[in-house]
Amino acid sequence: MDTTLGTRPALTRPDLLAAPVAAALASWPADRAAEVAAAAIDPELADTAAFCERYGVSLADSANCVVVAARRGAVTTYAACLVAATTRADVNGLVRRHLDARKASFAPVEAVLAATGMEYGGITPIGLPADWPVLVDAAVAAHPRVVVGAGVRGAKLWLPGRLLAELPTATVLEGLGIPVG
């Protein structure tokens, strides 16, 4: 992936990571953690489209992490959905069925930020609460090197999609991402 950004091994730049992201990466086996790179970005350009345009990253090489609140009765479950930036998460179809929920919607931002310790616009599947399912679109899992948030608006992570598929609560789902038309 060509980009105008200089990346460094993520664990050498803890200043570019939200605390839970840094802690999660530090707990990974050294060979896997070494495959994750970080780069500083302008926090005003953290949104995917602006980031990709400014830094020369293809939307096809970028993934979005959206947090969903799935409800069944009085029980609410939070889950992260990781889809290619060229798609949107099938929240009301595949996600709702997979989580066995009666209703699924985007989670309230304030609740997500409080639960994750991450910043809006930087949410990433790495370092999320241990009981949150992480649903990864098969295309993202197969990507050789994808860009995701770093938990803060001022940085991005680059890593092989297979590492996202190996997160402890990850499930890879074919068709999670629906092409944006």
Side-chain angles (χ1 to χ4, degrees):
M1 169 186 326
D2 291 330
T3 178
T4 59
L5 291 169
T7 61
R8 301 286 180 263
L11 287 177
T12 68
R13 294 298 312 268
D15 58 309
L16 297 180
L17 309 172
V21 176
L25 287 174
S27 74
W28 287 15
D31 60 331
R32 285 198 174 98
E35 294 185 71
V36 182
I41 66 165
D42 180 340
E44 297 299 315
L45 300 172
D47 294 334
T48 304
F51 162 76
C52 287
E53 182 178 330
R54 168 60 180 85
Y55 293 107
V57 174
S58 167
L59 283 172
D61 294 330
S62 187
N64 290 325
C65 182
V66 295
V67 178
V68 172
R71 291 182 254 322
R72 177 166 285 290
V75 177
T76 300
T77 302
Y78 290 101
C81 300
L82 195 63
V83 297
T86 55
T87 67
R88 63 178 178 78
D90 184 6
V91 173
N92 290 306
L94 184 59
V95 173
R96 183 184 55 75
R97 288 188 307 271
H98 181 78
L99 297 173
D100 192 30
R102 190 113 169 100
K103 181 179 179 185
S105 58
F106 294 107
V109 172
E110 300 78 26
V112 172
L113 301 182
T116 65
M118 298 182 198
E119 295 177 2
Y120 178 75
I123 302 293
T124 187
I126 300 167
L128 291 175
D131 60 342
W132 286 18
V134 175
L135 309 179
V136 182
D137 185 78
V140 173
H143 200 289
R145 196 154 172 81
V146 68
V147 177
V148 298
V152 296
R153 289 185 61 86
K156 294 287 185 180
L157 299 177
W158 278 257
L159 70 161
R162 67 176 166 71
L163 293 180
L164 297 166
E166 294 172 2
L167 291 170
T169 62
T171 301
V172 176
L173 296 174
E174 190 70 45
L176 177 61
I178 301 172
V180 175

